[in-house]
Amino acid sequence: MSNSRKSIFFFFILFQFCNINSISSSELQFPCNPSLNSPYPFCNKSLSVTVRAQSIVSLLTLEEKIQQLSNNASAIPRLGIPSYEWWSEGLHGVATNGPGVSFVGPISSATTFPQVLVTAASFNRTLWYLIGSAIGVEARAMFNVGQCGLTIWAPNINIFRDPRWGRGQETPGEDPMVASAYSIEFVRGLQSGNWRREREIGPMEEDDGMESLMVSACCKHLTAYDLEKWKNFTRYTFNSVVTEQDLVDTYQPPFRSCVQQGKASCLMCSYNAVNGVPACAKPELLQKARTDWGFKGYITSDCDAVATVFEYQNYTTNREDAIADVLKAGMDINCGTFMLRNTKSAVDQRKVKEEEIDRALLNLFSVRIRLGLFDGDPREGKFGELGAQNVCTEQHKTLALEAARQGIVLLKNENRFLPLNKNAISSLAVIGSLANNVSNLLGDYVGVPCSPMSPLEGFQEYVETIFFASGCLDVSCASDDGFDEAILIAKRADFVIVVAGLDLSQEHEDLDRVSLVLPGKQMTLISSLASVSKKPIILVLTGGGPLDISLAKKDSGVASILWIGYPGESGGKALAEVIFGDYNPGGRLPITWYPQSFTNVPMNDMHMRADPSRGYPGRTYRFYTGDRVYGFGQGLSYTSFKYKLLSAPQKLSLLGNFKAKSSKKIVSHVSYMEVEDVESCDLLRFYVKLSVANIGEFDGSHVVMLFSEFPKVLRGSPQRQLIGFERLHVERQQAAESSILVDPCNHISMADEYGKRVMPLGDHIISLGDLEHVLSIQVL
């Protein structure tokens, strides 16, 4: 583990539970109240989770069972079981989007971390884990005072496939390996309540998938969901036509990792259809998670997604068939009321068997039992001490600040214009409607932040004389009415910072963009300011979606460009620290920034691979063949780093049931091996050992990214593929060593046209910056 990761980890542990006071005395309803001497087997904690859940289901009438199939599950008074609201949100902090969360009560705010895409830009697994853990602590604390549920419908791990997608901001980006790694860390942190770090004490012990939970995480949206509204396509009716090749090596890996390594206790099926079948009614998706991936948990629909099967997608001719299809596919609960209103009719018509409802309820009650909701008063249980004193703590707010720092990406810095010397600035002009605004910098799925700070407030901690003008009245910037004031202060000040980009008026759930350029007259304002300022200007970009800022990139009047995304409640402070040199930026873009011409590519085309025969350029850094404004993994520092490869194998020999396989469609003599035929994949794992030297004048963190270029064995081979990454902190004029574990069966493999995972034979080019290393994979 790098020094930076150790320091942030131990800081978090040190303060996690200090100053614990008595929790709120507000009354919670709970089953298995010891004072009532409950005789039911489901209250017997010595029994297994499954036996206890079966006990509950066996005691319910059909009507009571049906009342459990909604996110707002009804109470069962005769058994002492209270109602339960399944829908709570915690994407990057406890959020108000779901009815399970309220900020009216002893807890009036919660830590708002940077939006997920910004956190992903840190490429720091430890940070992801700690954020998940902090959100889990705050959610459990809020539950203990009656203000939050324990089933958090996060993370969103869909691939950020198209730059116009309004919800791309919620995801870890475009790379399936990064999305997989994020899902594992965030889910483990959110669910575990284990404030030790697994990699410090070794891997978690194997379990039966029924371990206790602090809160339950839900990986969404299964699968191939990344379109809100484009032309005549909407997420409610869209049919994602996906090849088996793309499904296996792009869309599904994050969900598989979320289940197998993250041990997520919930999956959410998406609105869209996949190859003609609604996702929530597709057994090949939902049952595969249980049978092939070992999923132990419940599957919820997205909200009203069961209704859309009948009402919007017209997949069935009646309501009862829609319910039958989703239950048979393996879905357990409907966010919405459609199943409450129509399941009894489906049973009466013999389209749904009561045993199918029982299966769903077994999964639902198992998760509630794992959460400790049938162990008596939860405030006397494992997490009972958590309360208001554990929300918006100094350590959580510091973690939010650190996350914002690590996620900021420096895209341009001509002549080392940044950092600014805070002791040599007499005046500063800050321009942009987003500069003096906090709420627009939080992103979607948010609650009430603890201690928000705008960029303008952050700058005021460094510079005494600041001139401010909005320039544009809002982000849409339809008018130039405020330009004259902005130009006037730009002429007066020593330095000019322009905050531009996107906010939720341009991109959010149910709203995709139609353009990749800056909204309205924003670019005109930037160019005007760059032409009149005393020195080149600093451009700060907000928002989740990639932007075509080619004009600013080429403009010598724009010295530096920083992307801050939606940096959360501490983003203003983090930005100021970066600009004035108290923090050296080290973030990397987790997505490709495409030119405006990419908007000619149909958003509904789900193919990842390029197809020159129809002028299709492909998607993401792995397959896109067109021009880029900025590439995946780009990001600058105030210092310079130099790599040295210390050790890596030159040859891997595969053992297995090898059948001389070749791709006749490509080159007949080039072979590959199916991963399922490889013996002992674990024994093939190896470390790439490397050294990173900081040869500049600033201490700084650096993201090491290890890529592989495959031999061209099969059609659709990636141009290159990320196979490992690590964030290191290296002091100036010092070096740090790191070892990156490579798992060839997972990292140096791809899906063939039939969706089979294969490992190409021949020479693979392993690259680390400008360094290249040849790894030859052969069969004994």
Side-chain angles (χ1 to χ4, degrees), residues 527-540:
S527 299
S528 299
L529 296 170
S531 67
V532 301
S533 60
K534 297 176 183 177
K535 298 181 179 66
I537 67 173
I538 300 163
L539 175 60
V540 176

Side-chain angles (χ1 to χ4, degrees), residues 135-154:
I135 294 170
V137 166
E138 296 199 353
R140 190 81 194 206
M142 291 180 67
F143 169 81
N144 285 346
V145 298
Q147 292 182 238
C148 186
L150 292 180
T151 40
I152 303 296
W153 288 354

Side-chain angles (χ1 to χ4, degrees), residues 150 164 267 271 288 540 612 641 720:
L150 292 180
R164 292 162 286 188
L267 291 170
Y271 289 114
K288 183 183 183 69
V540 176
F641 297 94
R720 61 176 185 148

Side-chain angles (χ1 to χ4, degrees), residues 735-764:
E737 294 185 0
S738 179
S739 295
I740 295 179
L741 178 63
V742 178
D743 180 352
C745 289
N746 284 321
H747 302 151
I748 311 183
S749 66
M750 59 171 284
D752 67 11
E753 293 176 89
Y754 307 100
K756 283 283 189 180
R757 202 84 198 180
V758 301
M759 194 181 305
L761 304 179
D763 289 345
H764 294 246

Side-chain angles (χ1 to χ4, degrees), residues 367-677:
V367 170
R368 288 173 68 175
I369 290 169
R370 292 169 62 191
L371 287 164
L373 298 182
F374 288 83
D375 293 345
D377 190 341
R379 293 169 300 183
E380 296 178 2
K382 183 177 180 181
F383 308 106
E385 290 182 311
L386 294 173
Q389 72 282 352
N390 300 102
V391 181
C392 287
T393 60
E394 287 304 314
Q395 67 272 20
H396 287 178
K397 290 189 286 186
T398 299
L399 185 63
L401 173 60
E402 182 64 22
R405 290 166 175 159
Q406 292 195 23
I408 292 175
V409 182
L410 178 63
L411 294 171
K412 179 182 179 181
N413 198 26
E414 292 295 318
N415 301 315
R416 298 188 179 274
F417 191 78
L418 291 179
L420 299 182
N421 184 347
K422 56 191 172 185
N423 298 316
I425 298 177
S426 60
S427 62
L428 177 68
V430 179
I431 298 166
S433 60
L434 292 165
N436 195 27
N437 188 301
V438 175
S439 60
N440 285 5
L441 296 180
L442 301 179
D444 62 3
Y445 282 81
V446 295
V448 180
C450 307
S451 305
M453 178 180 288
S454 70
L456 181 60
E457 291 170 323
F459 301 146
Q460 287 170 341
E461 294 189 351
Y462 287 87
V463 181
E464 184 174 341
T465 302
I466 292 183
F467 310 114
F468 171 73
S470 293
C472 300
L473 298 178
D474 53 28
V475 171
S476 62
C477 199
S479 169
D480 59 4
D481 288 348
F483 283 21
D484 288 346
E485 181 186 6
I487 290 171
L488 180 62
I489 66 170
K491 291 178 177 178
R492 293 175 58 189
D494 287 345
F495 292 89
V496 177
I497 299 175
V498 181
V499 182
L502 308 172
D503 69 359
L504 296 186
S505 70
Q506 306 297 309
E507 54 176 5
H508 61 75
E509 185 171 8
D510 219 22
L511 177 63
D512 294 324
R513 291 187 295 154
V514 296
S515 174
L516 300 183
V517 298
L518 288 166
K521 299 178 182 294
Q522 283 193 36
M523 193 62 233
T524 302
L525 174 63
I526 292 166
S527 299
S528 299
L529 296 170
S531 67
V532 301
S533 60
K534 297 176 183 177
K535 298 181 179 66
I537 67 173
I538 300 163
L539 175 60
V540 176
L541 297 171
T542 67
L547 291 163
D548 183 348
I549 52 163
S550 300
L551 293 177
K553 181 181 180 182
K554 298 172 183 176
D555 190 343
S556 60
V558 179
S560 302
I561 301 175
L562 296 125
W563 176 74
I564 63 171
Y566 294 107
E569 65 176 58
S570 299
K573 182 175 179 62
L575 174 62
E577 289 180 348
V578 168
I579 286 179
F580 291 98
D582 284 341
Y583 188 86
N584 187 353
R588 302 281 198 108
L589 288 180
I591 46 175
T592 300
W593 282 30
Y594 302 86
Q596 171 67 5
S597 60
F598 192 86
T599 57
N600 295 323
V601 176
M603 193 173 177
N604 63 310
D605 193 324
M606 302 296 290
H607 289 86
M608 300 303 298
R609 273 86 177 164
D611 185 352
S613 68
R614 59 188 181 95
Y616 186 70
R619 297 178 182 273
T620 78
Y621 80 95
R622 296 165 68 219
F623 305 109
Y624 176 63
T625 57
D627 295 330
R628 297 162 175 79
V629 180
Y630 290 106
F632 172 87
Q634 279 195 252
L636 304 174
S637 172
Y638 294 154
T639 190
S640 299
F641 297 94
K642 185 177 180 180
Y643 296 131
K644 183 178 181 181
L645 188 62
L646 301 179
S647 68
Q650 295 180 334
K651 179 180 177 181
L652 281 183
S653 296
L654 307 184
L655 293 173
N657 181 25
F658 179 71
K659 305 163 188 174
K661 296 171 182 174
S662 64
S663 177
K664 296 180 181 178
K665 295 181 181 178
I666 310 297
V667 182
S668 61
H669 67 275
V670 179
S671 299
Y672 60 91
M673 191 170 188
E674 291 186 6
V675 169
E676 64 181 20
D677 293 333

Side-chain angles (χ1 to χ4, degrees), residues 236-363:
Y236 306 108
T237 59
F238 180 53
N239 176 30
S240 297
V241 178
V242 184
T243 67
E244 284 298 314
Q245 189 173 37
D246 288 339
L247 193 67
V248 169
D249 76 1
T250 296
Y251 294 107
Q252 291 294 73
F255 292 97
R256 180 171 184 167
S257 296
C258 185
V259 168
Q260 291 186 325
Q261 287 82 45
K263 305 294 185 184
S265 51
C266 169
L267 291 170
M268 177 185 287
C269 51
S270 53
Y271 289 114
N272 56 282
V274 179
N275 295 329
V277 181
C280 292
K282 194 174 180 69
E284 299 92 327
L285 284 179
L286 308 190
Q287 292 179 11
K288 183 183 183 69
R290 296 192 188 278
T291 58
D292 292 4
W293 301 347
F295 175 59
K296 300 289 182 65
Y298 73 100
I299 299 177
T300 180
S301 75
D302 206 336
C303 293
D304 290 323
V306 179
T308 64
V309 172
F310 166 67
E311 295 175 355
Y312 291 98
Q313 296 173 343
N314 300 315
Y315 182 73
T316 63
T317 57
N318 56 68
R319 293 173 175 82
E320 292 79 11
D321 282 343
I323 291 172
D325 284 354
V326 298
L327 285 173
K328 286 179 171 61
M331 197 200 76
D332 300 313
I333 192 170
N334 169 218
C335 178
T337 62
F338 188 83
M339 293 183 72
L340 291 182
R341 293 181 280 112
N342 298 295
T343 300
K344 181 61 164 59
S345 175
V347 173
D348 291 342
Q349 296 179 34
R350 297 185 179 181
K351 293 182 176 182
V352 169
K353 297 177 182 179
E354 190 168 353
E355 303 88 78
E356 292 170 331
I357 299 174
D358 291 348
R359 174 204 55 76
L361 297 187
L362 180 65
N363 294 328

Side-chain angles (χ1 to χ4, degrees), residues 117 157-175 179 225-226 250-251 507 513 544-546 563 590-594 603 608 619-620:
L117 193 67
I157 54 172
N158 292 115
I159 296 298
F160 197 166
R161 173 191 63 95
D162 191 287
R164 292 162 286 188
W165 187 30
R167 299 186 73 177
Q169 58 175 291
E170 301 174 24
T171 77
E174 70 181 36
D175 182 72
Y225 162 60
D226 52 11
T250 296
Y251 294 107
E507 54 176 5
R513 291 187 295 154
W563 176 74
I591 46 175
T592 300
W593 282 30
Y594 302 86
M603 193 173 177
M608 300 303 298
R619 297 178 182 273
T620 78

Side-chain angles (χ1 to χ4, degrees), residues 706-722:
L706 196 66
F707 291 91
S708 175
E709 181 181 338
F710 292 7
K712 304 306 180 186
V713 174
L714 295 169
R715 177 173 297 159
S717 294
Q719 297 177 114
R720 61 176 185 148
Q721 182 162 296
L722 185 68

